[in-house]
Amino acid sequence: MKFIAEIDVMPLKEILDPQGKAVTGSMKNLGLSEIHNVRIGKHVTLEIEAENEAVAKEKVDTACKKLLANLIMEQYHFTLHQA
């Protein structure tokens, strides 16, 4: 079976996000001062072949923990659907 994973990796709320802070400041310059607390992360899409959804979830979780997210500074969330 083929699955598609949509993964969002974001900095932990306790961690300073300099890129998000810079974008928040730029919002004021654009006349969008009502936009606050911008946080910037990354979005990863991948395809995975697995015998079932449980195995696919396990493999995506392993990929996130070992490669896609730095668990000291980031958190991740993913959704999985059959292709």
Side-chain angles (χ1 to χ4, degrees):
M1 299 175 78
K2 186 184 281 188
F3 297 91
I4 297 176
E6 302 280 342
I7 305 162
D8 291 313
V9 181
M10 295 295 294
L12 293 171
K13 294 193 185 298
E14 301 82 20
I15 302 290
L16 177 66
D17 179 6
Q19 191 177 10
K21 191 170 182 91
V23 170
T24 300
S26 295
M27 292 294 178
K28 293 176 186 162
N29 298 335
L30 295 172
L32 301 170
S33 59
E34 58 277 343
I35 297 176
H36 306 283
N37 299 322
V38 176
R39 306 285 291 174
I40 296 180
K42 56 191 169 195
H43 181 80
V44 179
T45 302
L46 56 84
E47 292 182 11
I48 183 167
E49 298 238 0
E51 50 203 60
N52 58 51
E53 186 174 349
V55 172
K57 283 183 179 182
E58 182 181 322
K59 294 199 179 278
V60 171
D61 194 51
T62 299
C64 290
K65 288 178 180 173
K66 292 188 173 185
L67 180 64
L68 300 176
N70 177 346
L71 298 180
I72 295 171
M73 300 174 15
E74 298 172 318
Q75 61 186 1
Y76 66 90
H77 170 76
F78 66 88
T79 59
L80 191 67
H81 59 274
Q82 196 168 348

